[in-house]
mmCIF file of all heavy atoms in Angstrom:
data_model
loop_
_atom_site.group_PDB
_atom_site.id
_atom_site.type_symbol
_atom_site.label_atom_id
_atom_site.label_comp_id
_atom_site.label_asym_id
_atom_site.label_seq_id
_atom_site.Cartn_x
_atom_site.Cartn_y
_atom_site.Cartn_z
ATOM 1 N N LEU A 1 -61.948 -64.026 -14.726
ATOM 2 C CA LEU A 1 -63.211 -63.283 -14.701
ATOM 3 C C LEU A 1 -62.992 -61.851 -14.259
ATOM 4 O O LEU A 1 -63.669 -60.927 -14.700
ATOM 5 C CB LEU A 1 -64.205 -63.990 -13.771
ATOM 6 C CG LEU A 1 -64.727 -65.343 -14.291
ATOM 7 C CD1 LEU A 1 -65.564 -66.019 -13.234
ATOM 8 C CD2 LEU A 1 -65.530 -65.170 -15.560
ATOM 9 N N ALA A 2 -62.017 -61.628 -13.386
ATOM 10 C CA ALA A 2 -61.718 -60.274 -12.923
ATOM 11 C C ALA A 2 -61.043 -59.439 -13.986
ATOM 12 O O ALA A 2 -61.109 -58.220 -13.979
ATOM 13 C CB ALA A 2 -60.861 -60.333 -11.675
ATOM 14 N N ASN A 3 -60.364 -60.128 -14.940
ATOM 15 C CA ASN A 3 -59.559 -59.413 -15.933
ATOM 16 C C ASN A 3 -60.215 -59.325 -17.306
ATOM 17 O O ASN A 3 -59.588 -58.948 -18.269
ATOM 18 C CB ASN A 3 -58.205 -60.107 -16.085
ATOM 19 C CG ASN A 3 -57.321 -59.885 -14.874
ATOM 20 O OD1 ASN A 3 -57.539 -58.945 -14.138
ATOM 21 N ND2 ASN A 3 -56.366 -60.762 -14.693
ATOM 22 N N LEU A 4 -61.462 -59.690 -17.421
ATOM 23 C CA LEU A 4 -62.076 -59.739 -18.732
ATOM 24 C C LEU A 4 -62.494 -58.363 -19.240
ATOM 25 O O LEU A 4 -63.550 -58.209 -19.818
ATOM 26 C CB LEU A 4 -63.315 -60.641 -18.715
ATOM 27 C CG LEU A 4 -62.997 -62.127 -18.617
ATOM 28 C CD1 LEU A 4 -64.269 -62.927 -18.662
ATOM 29 C CD2 LEU A 4 -62.082 -62.554 -19.732
ATOM 30 N N ALA A 5 -61.653 -57.420 -19.000
ATOM 31 C CA ALA A 5 -61.918 -56.006 -19.313
ATOM 32 C C ALA A 5 -63.191 -55.698 -18.581
ATOM 33 O O ALA A 5 -64.178 -55.184 -19.102
ATOM 34 C CB ALA A 5 -62.039 -55.761 -20.804
ATOM 35 N N ALA A 6 -63.226 -56.056 -17.442
ATOM 36 C CA ALA A 6 -63.906 -56.954 -16.543
ATOM 37 C C ALA A 6 -65.191 -57.445 -17.148
ATOM 38 O O ALA A 6 -65.214 -58.509 -17.724
ATOM 39 C CB ALA A 6 -64.118 -56.316 -15.199
ATOM 40 N N ARG A 7 -66.257 -56.694 -16.976
ATOM 41 C CA ARG A 7 -67.553 -57.206 -17.423
ATOM 42 C C ARG A 7 -67.726 -57.125 -18.931
ATOM 43 O O ARG A 7 -68.562 -57.798 -19.498
ATOM 44 C CB ARG A 7 -68.668 -56.401 -16.736
ATOM 45 C CG ARG A 7 -68.845 -56.779 -15.273
ATOM 46 C CD ARG A 7 -69.904 -55.955 -14.601
ATOM 47 N NE ARG A 7 -69.412 -54.624 -14.281
ATOM 48 C CZ ARG A 7 -68.745 -54.352 -13.134
ATOM 49 N NH1 ARG A 7 -68.516 -55.299 -12.260
ATOM 50 N NH2 ARG A 7 -68.354 -53.116 -12.896
ATOM 51 N N GLU A 8 -66.923 -56.320 -19.600
ATOM 52 C CA GLU A 8 -67.103 -56.103 -21.040
ATOM 53 C C GLU A 8 -66.988 -57.388 -21.839
ATOM 54 O O GLU A 8 -67.808 -57.713 -22.679
ATOM 55 C CB GLU A 8 -66.099 -55.068 -21.535
ATOM 56 C CG GLU A 8 -66.230 -54.731 -22.998
ATOM 57 C CD GLU A 8 -65.262 -53.667 -23.438
ATOM 58 O OE1 GLU A 8 -64.783 -52.900 -22.572
ATOM 59 O OE2 GLU A 8 -64.968 -53.611 -24.639
ATOM 60 N N ASN A 9 -65.912 -58.162 -21.557
ATOM 61 C CA ASN A 9 -65.702 -59.389 -22.317
ATOM 62 C C ASN A 9 -66.717 -60.465 -21.944
ATOM 63 O O ASN A 9 -67.157 -61.225 -22.804
ATOM 64 C CB ASN A 9 -64.279 -59.913 -22.091
ATOM 65 C CG ASN A 9 -63.853 -60.823 -23.211
ATOM 66 O OD1 ASN A 9 -63.683 -60.429 -24.342
ATOM 67 N ND2 ASN A 9 -63.692 -62.115 -22.860
ATOM 68 N N ARG A 10 -67.089 -60.499 -20.656
ATOM 69 C CA ARG A 10 -68.132 -61.448 -20.253
ATOM 70 C C ARG A 10 -69.438 -61.111 -20.956
ATOM 71 O O ARG A 10 -70.175 -62.013 -21.394
ATOM 72 C CB ARG A 10 -68.314 -61.400 -18.738
ATOM 73 C CG ARG A 10 -67.103 -61.931 -17.964
ATOM 74 C CD ARG A 10 -67.219 -61.641 -16.485
ATOM 75 N NE ARG A 10 -68.351 -62.299 -15.873
ATOM 76 C CZ ARG A 10 -68.732 -62.080 -14.609
ATOM 77 N NH1 ARG A 10 -68.078 -61.220 -13.855
ATOM 78 N NH2 ARG A 10 -69.743 -62.746 -14.105
ATOM 79 N N ALA A 11 -69.732 -59.816 -21.073
ATOM 80 C CA ALA A 11 -70.967 -59.425 -21.749
ATOM 81 C C ALA A 11 -70.915 -59.811 -23.234
ATOM 82 O O ALA A 11 -71.924 -60.239 -23.784
ATOM 83 C CB ALA A 11 -71.176 -57.926 -21.586
ATOM 84 N N ALA A 12 -69.747 -59.664 -23.854
ATOM 85 C CA ALA A 12 -69.604 -60.043 -25.276
ATOM 86 C C ALA A 12 -69.828 -61.532 -25.452
ATOM 87 O O ALA A 12 -70.467 -61.960 -26.412
ATOM 88 C CB ALA A 12 -68.235 -59.629 -25.793
ATOM 89 N N SER A 13 -69.282 -62.347 -24.529
ATOM 90 C CA SER A 13 -69.484 -63.790 -24.612
ATOM 91 C C SER A 13 -70.976 -64.131 -24.421
ATOM 92 O O SER A 13 -71.514 -64.999 -25.101
ATOM 93 C CB SER A 13 -68.659 -64.485 -23.521
ATOM 94 O OG SER A 13 -67.269 -64.288 -23.731
ATOM 95 N N SER A 14 -71.629 -63.427 -23.505
ATOM 96 C CA SER A 14 -73.058 -63.663 -23.280
ATOM 97 C C SER A 14 -73.868 -63.283 -24.506
ATOM 98 O O SER A 14 -74.855 -63.966 -24.851
ATOM 99 C CB SER A 14 -73.539 -62.876 -22.061
ATOM 100 O OG SER A 14 -72.933 -63.364 -20.881
ATOM 101 N N ARG A 15 -73.466 -62.220 -25.195
ATOM 102 C CA ARG A 15 -74.209 -61.777 -26.388
ATOM 103 C C ARG A 15 -74.111 -62.792 -27.496
ATOM 104 O O ARG A 15 -75.107 -63.088 -28.167
ATOM 105 C CB ARG A 15 -73.718 -60.410 -26.851
ATOM 106 C CG ARG A 15 -74.198 -59.257 -25.988
ATOM 107 C CD ARG A 15 -74.021 -57.920 -26.692
ATOM 108 N NE ARG A 15 -72.636 -57.630 -27.000
ATOM 109 C CZ ARG A 15 -71.775 -57.035 -26.187
ATOM 110 N NH1 ARG A 15 -72.171 -56.678 -24.952
ATOM 111 N NH2 ARG A 15 -70.548 -56.784 -26.560
ATOM 112 N N ILE A 16 -72.907 -63.349 -27.718
ATOM 113 C CA ILE A 16 -72.795 -64.353 -28.800
ATOM 114 C C ILE A 16 -73.546 -65.619 -28.398
ATOM 115 O O ILE A 16 -74.194 -66.257 -29.234
ATOM 116 C CB ILE A 16 -71.334 -64.641 -29.185
ATOM 117 C CG1 ILE A 16 -71.258 -65.605 -30.372
ATOM 118 C CG2 ILE A 16 -70.527 -65.176 -28.024
ATOM 119 C CD1 ILE A 16 -71.850 -65.103 -31.651
ATOM 120 N N ALA A 17 -73.523 -65.982 -27.109
ATOM 121 C CA ALA A 17 -74.271 -67.157 -26.652
ATOM 122 C C ALA A 17 -75.770 -66.948 -26.900
ATOM 123 O O ALA A 17 -76.466 -67.860 -27.404
ATOM 124 C CB ALA A 17 -74.016 -67.412 -25.174
ATOM 125 N N HIS A 18 -76.266 -65.768 -26.570
ATOM 126 C CA HIS A 18 -77.683 -65.480 -26.768
ATOM 127 C C HIS A 18 -78.052 -65.503 -28.245
ATOM 128 O O HIS A 18 -79.089 -66.050 -28.648
ATOM 129 C CB HIS A 18 -78.019 -64.111 -26.172
ATOM 130 C CG HIS A 18 -79.462 -63.748 -26.269
ATOM 131 N ND1 HIS A 18 -80.450 -64.388 -25.545
ATOM 132 C CD2 HIS A 18 -80.106 -62.817 -27.036
ATOM 133 C CE1 HIS A 18 -81.634 -63.873 -25.841
ATOM 134 N NE2 HIS A 18 -81.446 -62.916 -26.749
ATOM 135 N N ARG A 19 -77.172 -64.947 -29.071
ATOM 136 C CA ARG A 19 -77.431 -64.922 -30.517
ATOM 137 C C ARG A 19 -77.447 -66.341 -31.090
ATOM 138 O O ARG A 19 -78.280 -66.698 -31.928
ATOM 139 C CB ARG A 19 -76.368 -64.078 -31.199
ATOM 140 C CG ARG A 19 -76.502 -63.846 -32.659
ATOM 141 C CD ARG A 19 -77.700 -62.962 -32.965
ATOM 142 N NE ARG A 19 -78.842 -63.741 -33.434
ATOM 143 C CZ ARG A 19 -79.989 -63.207 -33.780
ATOM 144 N NH1 ARG A 19 -80.191 -61.923 -33.687
ATOM 145 N NH2 ARG A 19 -80.969 -63.969 -34.220
ATOM 146 N N LEU A 20 -76.481 -67.160 -30.636
ATOM 147 C CA LEU A 20 -76.418 -68.550 -31.105
ATOM 148 C C LEU A 20 -77.690 -69.319 -30.739
ATOM 149 O O LEU A 20 -78.276 -70.019 -31.574
ATOM 150 C CB LEU A 20 -75.202 -69.241 -30.493
ATOM 151 C CG LEU A 20 -73.843 -68.886 -31.096
ATOM 152 C CD1 LEU A 20 -72.728 -69.278 -30.143
ATOM 153 C CD2 LEU A 20 -73.635 -69.566 -32.432
ATOM 154 N N VAL A 21 -78.108 -69.169 -29.499
ATOM 155 C CA VAL A 21 -79.325 -69.872 -29.050
ATOM 156 C C VAL A 21 -80.536 -69.403 -29.848
ATOM 157 O O VAL A 21 -81.362 -70.228 -30.259
ATOM 158 C CB VAL A 21 -79.530 -69.659 -27.545
ATOM 159 C CG1 VAL A 21 -80.961 -70.068 -27.134
ATOM 160 C CG2 VAL A 21 -78.525 -70.471 -26.745
ATOM 161 N N SER A 22 -80.651 -68.110 -30.110
ATOM 162 C CA SER A 22 -81.763 -67.597 -30.874
ATOM 163 C C SER A 22 -81.818 -68.212 -32.266
ATOM 164 O O SER A 22 -82.895 -68.585 -32.762
ATOM 165 C CB SER A 22 -81.667 -66.060 -30.975
ATOM 166 O OG SER A 22 -81.816 -65.476 -29.718
ATOM 167 N N ASP A 23 -80.659 -68.347 -32.898
ATOM 168 C CA ASP A 23 -80.634 -68.950 -34.212
ATOM 169 C C ASP A 23 -80.874 -70.439 -34.179
ATOM 170 O O ASP A 23 -81.552 -70.988 -35.039
ATOM 171 C CB ASP A 23 -79.305 -68.618 -34.905
ATOM 172 C CG ASP A 23 -79.347 -67.258 -35.596
ATOM 173 O OD1 ASP A 23 -79.768 -67.196 -36.746
ATOM 174 O OD2 ASP A 23 -78.952 -66.276 -34.959
ATOM 175 N N PHE A 24 -80.315 -71.114 -33.167
ATOM 176 C CA PHE A 24 -80.555 -72.554 -33.029
ATOM 177 C C PHE A 24 -82.046 -72.844 -32.861
ATOM 178 O O PHE A 24 -82.552 -73.812 -33.436
ATOM 179 C CB PHE A 24 -79.813 -73.102 -31.812
ATOM 180 C CG PHE A 24 -78.337 -73.284 -31.988
ATOM 181 C CD1 PHE A 24 -77.515 -73.459 -30.879
ATOM 182 C CD2 PHE A 24 -77.757 -73.304 -33.254
ATOM 183 C CE1 PHE A 24 -76.152 -73.651 -31.036
ATOM 184 C CE2 PHE A 24 -76.388 -73.473 -33.405
ATOM 185 C CZ PHE A 24 -75.589 -73.656 -32.297
ATOM 186 N N GLU A 25 -82.744 -72.026 -32.089
ATOM 187 C CA GLU A 25 -84.146 -72.306 -31.792
ATOM 188 C C GLU A 25 -85.004 -72.282 -33.047
ATOM 189 O O GLU A 25 -86.051 -72.925 -33.072
ATOM 190 C CB GLU A 25 -84.662 -71.284 -30.771
ATOM 191 C CG GLU A 25 -84.114 -71.549 -29.374
ATOM 192 C CD GLU A 25 -84.534 -70.516 -28.360
ATOM 193 O OE1 GLU A 25 -84.793 -69.351 -28.750
ATOM 194 O OE2 GLU A 25 -84.581 -70.857 -27.167
ATOM 195 N N GLY A 26 -84.562 -71.612 -34.094
ATOM 196 C CA GLY A 26 -85.304 -71.612 -35.338
ATOM 197 C C GLY A 26 -85.026 -72.803 -36.224
ATOM 198 O O GLY A 26 -85.802 -73.111 -37.136
ATOM 199 N N ASP A 27 -83.896 -73.515 -35.965
ATOM 200 C CA ASP A 27 -83.453 -74.576 -36.846
ATOM 201 C C ASP A 27 -83.318 -75.947 -36.209
ATOM 202 O O ASP A 27 -83.413 -76.962 -36.911
ATOM 203 C CB ASP A 27 -82.073 -74.233 -37.432
ATOM 204 C CG ASP A 27 -82.113 -73.071 -38.417
ATOM 205 O OD1 ASP A 27 -83.185 -72.822 -38.981
ATOM 206 O OD2 ASP A 27 -81.061 -72.416 -38.602
ATOM 207 N N LEU A 28 -83.064 -75.992 -34.901
ATOM 208 C CA LEU A 28 -82.624 -77.222 -34.255
ATOM 209 C C LEU A 28 -83.362 -77.473 -32.951
ATOM 210 O O LEU A 28 -83.837 -76.523 -32.322
ATOM 211 C CB LEU A 28 -81.113 -77.137 -33.935
ATOM 212 C CG LEU A 28 -80.162 -76.783 -35.060
ATOM 213 C CD1 LEU A 28 -78.824 -76.348 -34.479
ATOM 214 C CD2 LEU A 28 -79.990 -77.977 -35.970
ATOM 215 N N PRO A 29 -83.399 -78.735 -32.497
ATOM 216 C CA PRO A 29 -83.840 -78.991 -31.134
ATOM 217 C C PRO A 29 -82.831 -78.351 -30.164
ATOM 218 O O PRO A 29 -81.622 -78.384 -30.421
ATOM 219 C CB PRO A 29 -83.808 -80.520 -31.021
ATOM 220 C CG PRO A 29 -83.738 -81.031 -32.405
ATOM 221 C CD PRO A 29 -83.044 -79.984 -33.215
ATOM 222 N N VAL A 30 -83.304 -77.747 -29.094
ATOM 223 C CA VAL A 30 -82.421 -77.179 -28.091
ATOM 224 C C VAL A 30 -82.822 -77.690 -26.712
ATOM 225 O O VAL A 30 -83.972 -78.094 -26.481
ATOM 226 C CB VAL A 30 -82.425 -75.638 -28.102
ATOM 227 C CG1 VAL A 30 -81.923 -75.105 -29.426
ATOM 228 C CG2 VAL A 30 -83.807 -75.091 -27.777
ATOM 229 N N LEU A 31 -81.883 -77.665 -25.757
ATOM 230 C CA LEU A 31 -82.188 -78.025 -24.402
ATOM 231 C C LEU A 31 -83.112 -77.016 -23.763
ATOM 232 O O LEU A 31 -83.136 -75.837 -24.163
ATOM 233 C CB LEU A 31 -80.900 -78.079 -23.567
ATOM 234 C CG LEU A 31 -79.913 -79.188 -23.805
ATOM 235 C CD1 LEU A 31 -78.760 -79.072 -22.801
ATOM 236 C CD2 LEU A 31 -80.554 -80.567 -23.692
ATOM 237 N N PRO A 32 -83.861 -77.405 -22.721
ATOM 238 C CA PRO A 32 -84.523 -76.393 -21.893
ATOM 239 C C PRO A 32 -83.433 -75.493 -21.289
ATOM 240 O O PRO A 32 -82.364 -75.963 -20.908
ATOM 241 C CB PRO A 32 -85.218 -77.217 -20.804
ATOM 242 C CG PRO A 32 -85.327 -78.597 -21.369
ATOM 243 C CD PRO A 32 -84.132 -78.775 -22.258
ATOM 244 N N SER A 33 -83.691 -74.202 -21.188
ATOM 245 C CA SER A 33 -82.712 -73.238 -20.691
ATOM 246 C C SER A 33 -81.351 -73.473 -21.375
ATOM 247 O O SER A 33 -80.369 -73.852 -20.733
ATOM 248 C CB SER A 33 -82.545 -73.357 -19.173
ATOM 249 O OG SER A 33 -83.769 -73.198 -18.506
ATOM 250 N N PRO A 34 -81.286 -73.261 -22.687
ATOM 251 C CA PRO A 34 -80.085 -73.646 -23.442
ATOM 252 C C PRO A 34 -78.870 -72.761 -23.246
ATOM 253 O O PRO A 34 -77.782 -73.130 -23.679
ATOM 254 C CB PRO A 34 -80.562 -73.602 -24.888
ATOM 255 C CG PRO A 34 -81.683 -72.616 -24.886
ATOM 256 C CD PRO A 34 -82.345 -72.772 -23.559
ATOM 257 N N GLU A 35 -79.014 -71.591 -22.614
ATOM 258 C CA GLU A 35 -77.853 -70.761 -22.279
ATOM 259 C C GLU A 35 -77.416 -71.110 -20.852
ATOM 260 O O GLU A 35 -78.125 -70.839 -19.888
ATOM 261 C CB GLU A 35 -78.195 -69.282 -22.357
ATOM 262 C CG GLU A 35 -78.386 -68.763 -23.769
ATOM 263 C CD GLU A 35 -78.646 -67.271 -23.788
ATOM 264 O OE1 GLU A 35 -77.809 -66.507 -23.264
ATOM 265 O OE2 GLU A 35 -79.701 -66.856 -24.309
ATOM 266 N N ARG A 36 -76.235 -71.689 -20.739
ATOM 267 C CA ARG A 36 -75.750 -72.174 -19.439
ATOM 268 C C ARG A 36 -74.316 -71.719 -19.237
ATOM 269 O O ARG A 36 -73.685 -71.155 -20.135
ATOM 270 C CB ARG A 36 -75.867 -73.702 -19.347
ATOM 271 C CG ARG A 36 -77.300 -74.183 -19.595
ATOM 272 C CD ARG A 36 -77.478 -75.664 -19.417
ATOM 273 N NE ARG A 36 -78.849 -76.083 -19.659
ATOM 274 C CZ ARG A 36 -79.367 -77.245 -19.264
ATOM 275 N NH1 ARG A 36 -78.626 -78.119 -18.603
ATOM 276 N NH2 ARG A 36 -80.630 -77.528 -19.545
ATOM 277 N N HIS A 37 -73.779 -71.948 -18.044
ATOM 278 C CA HIS A 37 -72.403 -71.530 -17.782
ATOM 279 C C HIS A 37 -71.747 -72.427 -16.736
ATOM 280 O O HIS A 37 -72.423 -73.031 -15.912
ATOM 281 C CB HIS A 37 -72.346 -70.063 -17.324
ATOM 282 C CG HIS A 37 -73.253 -69.762 -16.161
ATOM 283 N ND1 HIS A 37 -74.512 -69.221 -16.315
ATOM 284 C CD2 HIS A 37 -73.104 -69.941 -14.829
ATOM 285 C CE1 HIS A 37 -75.073 -69.057 -15.138
ATOM 286 N NE2 HIS A 37 -74.243 -69.491 -14.212
ATOM 287 N N ALA A 38 -70.423 -72.497 -16.821
ATOM 288 C CA ALA A 38 -69.604 -73.266 -15.867
ATOM 289 C C ALA A 38 -68.151 -72.933 -16.101
ATOM 290 O O ALA A 38 -67.800 -72.186 -17.024
ATOM 291 C CB ALA A 38 -69.865 -74.769 -16.036
ATOM 292 N N ASN A 39 -67.278 -73.522 -15.293
ATOM 293 C CA ASN A 39 -65.847 -73.270 -15.390
ATOM 294 C C ASN A 39 -65.210 -74.268 -16.354
ATOM 295 O O ASN A 39 -64.594 -75.244 -15.956
ATOM 296 C CB ASN A 39 -65.197 -73.369 -14.010
ATOM 297 C CG ASN A 39 -63.704 -73.065 -14.053
ATOM 298 O OD1 ASN A 39 -63.164 -72.642 -15.086
ATOM 299 N ND2 ASN A 39 -63.035 -73.287 -12.941
ATOM 300 N N PHE A 40 -65.353 -74.009 -17.658
ATOM 301 C CA PHE A 40 -64.731 -74.842 -18.683
ATOM 302 C C PHE A 40 -63.316 -74.321 -18.942
ATOM 303 O O PHE A 40 -63.117 -73.154 -19.295
ATOM 304 C CB PHE A 40 -65.525 -74.781 -19.982
ATOM 305 C CG PHE A 40 -66.851 -75.470 -19.944
ATOM 306 C CD1 PHE A 40 -68.017 -74.781 -19.645
ATOM 307 C CD2 PHE A 40 -66.962 -76.827 -20.203
ATOM 308 C CE1 PHE A 40 -69.251 -75.403 -19.614
ATOM 309 C CE2 PHE A 40 -68.180 -77.480 -20.173
ATOM 310 C CZ PHE A 40 -69.326 -76.753 -19.889
ATOM 311 N N THR A 41 -62.323 -75.209 -18.793
ATOM 312 C CA THR A 41 -60.934 -74.810 -19.005
ATOM 313 C C THR A 41 -60.709 -74.227 -20.387
ATOM 314 O O THR A 41 -59.955 -73.262 -20.566
ATOM 315 C CB THR A 41 -59.995 -76.019 -18.790
ATOM 316 O OG1 THR A 41 -60.165 -76.509 -17.458
ATOM 317 C CG2 THR A 41 -58.546 -75.652 -19.019
ATOM 318 N N VAL A 42 -61.357 -74.762 -21.376
ATOM 319 C CA VAL A 42 -61.146 -74.343 -22.770
ATOM 320 C C VAL A 42 -61.674 -72.924 -23.018
ATOM 321 O O VAL A 42 -61.355 -72.318 -24.045
ATOM 322 C CB VAL A 42 -61.782 -75.361 -23.752
ATOM 323 C CG1 VAL A 42 -63.283 -75.167 -23.836
ATOM 324 C CG2 VAL A 42 -61.117 -75.279 -25.128
ATOM 325 N N LEU A 43 -62.422 -72.374 -22.090
ATOM 326 C CA LEU A 43 -62.927 -71.009 -22.224
ATOM 327 C C LEU A 43 -62.072 -69.993 -21.469
ATOM 328 O O LEU A 43 -62.490 -68.861 -21.275
ATOM 329 C CB LEU A 43 -64.382 -70.933 -21.747
ATOM 330 C CG LEU A 43 -65.395 -71.783 -22.497
ATOM 331 C CD1 LEU A 43 -66.804 -71.559 -21.957
ATOM 332 C CD2 LEU A 43 -65.361 -71.504 -24.006
ATOM 333 N N HIS A 44 -60.863 -70.396 -21.070
ATOM 334 C CA HIS A 44 -60.007 -69.522 -20.270
ATOM 335 C C HIS A 44 -59.206 -68.537 -21.117
ATOM 336 O O HIS A 44 -58.177 -68.039 -20.641
ATOM 337 C CB HIS A 44 -59.058 -70.349 -19.423
ATOM 338 C CG HIS A 44 -59.714 -70.984 -18.213
ATOM 339 N ND1 HIS A 44 -58.990 -71.507 -17.176
ATOM 340 C CD2 HIS A 44 -61.019 -71.148 -17.893
ATOM 341 C CE1 HIS A 44 -59.827 -71.986 -16.275
ATOM 342 N NE2 HIS A 44 -61.075 -71.777 -16.676
ATOM 343 N N ALA A 45 -59.613 -68.244 -22.310
ATOM 344 C CA ALA A 45 -58.876 -67.304 -23.162
ATOM 345 C C ALA A 45 -59.308 -65.886 -22.774
ATOM 346 O O ALA A 45 -60.221 -65.312 -23.358
ATOM 347 C CB ALA A 45 -59.141 -67.560 -24.646
ATOM 348 N N ALA A 46 -58.648 -65.331 -21.780
ATOM 349 C CA ALA A 46 -59.011 -63.997 -21.268
ATOM 350 C C ALA A 46 -58.937 -62.975 -22.405
ATOM 351 O O ALA A 46 -58.061 -63.017 -23.251
ATOM 352 C CB ALA A 46 -58.076 -63.604 -20.149
#
């Protein structure tokens, strides 16, 4: 998280997450508060 060009890459990940949720909401059932976060190992591609 400190090396993600610091906030730049985190912001890019957040933007694609937001865009995905926006598109899902028009087509699919979604969870309440569908944009979430946690320490997933598979997302460790700095």
Side-chain angles (χ1 to χ4, degrees):
L1 291 173
N3 289 338
L4 288 182
R7 285 177 283 273
E8 182 178 338
N9 201 67
R10 292 170 64 187
S13 297
S14 294
R15 285 196 299 273
I16 185 63
H18 182 70
R19 184 69 258 181
L20 285 162
V21 165
S22 295
D23 275 274
F24 284 164
E25 287 176 333
D27 290 337
L28 306 164
V30 298
L31 289 184
S33 304
E35 288 183 57
R36 303 185 180 197
H37 53 262
N39 182 8
F40 290 94
T41 300
V42 77
L43 299 182
H44 283 194

